[in-house]
Amino acid sequence: MSRTRIASAHERSTFIVECDLGTWHQAGFGTMSDEHSRAYCARIFADDLRGHELRSNKSAWGSFNVLSNQRWSHRNVVLVGDALRSVHFSIGSGTRLALEDAIALHRAVEATGTAGGALETFERMRRPIVEKIAAAAARSYEWYEHFHERMTLPPLEFAMSYATRSGRISRAQLEQVSPHFLSRYDRRAATR
Ligand SMILES: Cc1cc2nc3c(=O)[nH]c(=O)nc-3n(C[C@H](O)[C@H](O)[C@H](O)COP(=O)(O)OP(=O)(O)OC[C@H]3O[C@@H](n4cnc5c(N)ncnc54)[C@H](O)[C@@H]3O)c2cc1C
């Protein structure tokens, strides 16, 4: 299980600190105040912050909760968003999925006019889409759960492992978006 600390605010970047449970305990984060924790992280990431301040915004440490439901509804009660399934934040799709759930549910109600019919239609339309993204999110979550094992990889291999962790980015896509990175990676792989 890994632990995550988040700081975010309007017009600033979100800064996520992720570590495994052993590191979290060893550093003593569990017994530190919020301010102490913030200052400690600011020291660790001083090079990355390049003189910028690390701010706290109710940035409590937390563990990601994996949640899924076999059944999406019961009588006239239906689950949407994170209540239906958690999507690991690393793929950045939880809000989109929650909003798309709400839109799909609205459309299903409009189209069928009955609660039972609407919920069935909603699930039939949404399940394949949701399951595909949830599977990608689960792979990304697994990557994060074991990222400490990859910390010894050379930087290019680590970056490749990270970029392809969820299985949503193919080599062809990488070639399009990061040709320079890919050619460096290939050159390095050829010399190994
Ligand atoms: C660190 C992090 C980064 C993320 N980054 C992204 C991103 O880049 N892109 C993205 O799309 N998604 C991202 N997400 C995921 C996204 O935040 C969630 O998937 C999304 O907020 C889910 O929306 P929701 O309405 O289902 O649930 P929530 O936003 O959790 O809303 C549920 C609401 O219900 C309230 N509530 C809970 N219990 C009760 C109760 N008993 N009575 C009344 N109210 C209650 C809560 O207070 C909350 O306001 C991120 C998540 C995290 C943790």
Side-chain angles (χ1 to χ4, degrees):
M1 178 189 286
S2 62
R3 303 283 287 165
T4 311
R5 180 184 163 91
I6 305 129
S8 110
H10 185 57
E11 292 181 347
R12 292 181 201 120
S13 295
T14 300
F15 197 93
I16 298 181
V17 179
E18 180 95 14
C19 64
D20 61 36
L21 201 56
T23 308
W24 188 78
H25 280 304
Q26 264 178 15
F29 283 126
T31 54
M32 281 183 204
S33 67
D34 186 49
E35 172 49 27
H36 191 174
S37 216
R38 185 203 61 74
Y40 192 105
C41 289
R43 275 204 307 280
I44 296 172
F45 295 103
D47 286 350
D48 305 278
L49 288 165
R50 293 183 198 157
H52 293 285
E53 199 184 340
L54 185 62
R55 295 197 179 177
S56 187
N57 178 24
K58 298 181 203 147
S59 310
W61 286 97
S63 296
F64 179 73
N65 290 316
V66 180
L67 182 143
S68 66
N69 286 283
Q70 216 166 358
R71 296 196 57 178
W72 286 29
S73 61
H74 176 65
R75 297 195 183 128
N76 64 347
V77 177
V78 63
L79 298 169
V80 295
D82 276 11
L84 176 58
R85 95 272 88 188
S86 51
V87 178
H88 195 247
F89 55 81
S90 55
I91 70 160
S93 297
T95 305
R96 177 167 67 90
L97 277 184
L99 288 168
E100 286 174 356
D101 284 345
I103 293 166
L105 184 59
H106 172 75
R107 287 189 180 145
V109 170
E110 272 197 335
T112 60
T114 65
L119 300 189
E120 203 180 290
T121 304
F122 166 67
E123 184 169 338
R124 198 178 55 249
M125 304 300 288
R126 285 294 288 159
R127 201 181 256 282
I129 300 161
V130 165
E131 285 185 347
K132 198 170 159 203
I133 298 176
R139 286 191 293 270
S140 187
Y141 166 73
E142 280 300 318
W143 190 95
Y144 272 85
E145 284 299 292
H146 298 280
F147 81 91
H148 60 280
E149 293 161 18
R150 300 181 176 93
M151 292 302 281
T152 51
L153 287 175
L156 282 171
E157 280 170 51
F158 184 83
M160 179 58 100
S161 166
Y162 183 75
T164 56
R165 73 195 185 284
S166 73
R168 293 202 300 177
I169 301 219
S170 65
R171 191 181 159 87
Q173 281 165 313
L174 261 184
E175 224 152 30
Q176 278 202 326
V177 295
S178 301
H180 181 58
F181 164 73
L182 197 60
S183 64
R184 280 180 65 204
Y185 175 83
D186 284 345
R187 273 203 306 277
R188 157 103 191 137
T191 60
R192 272 200 307 277

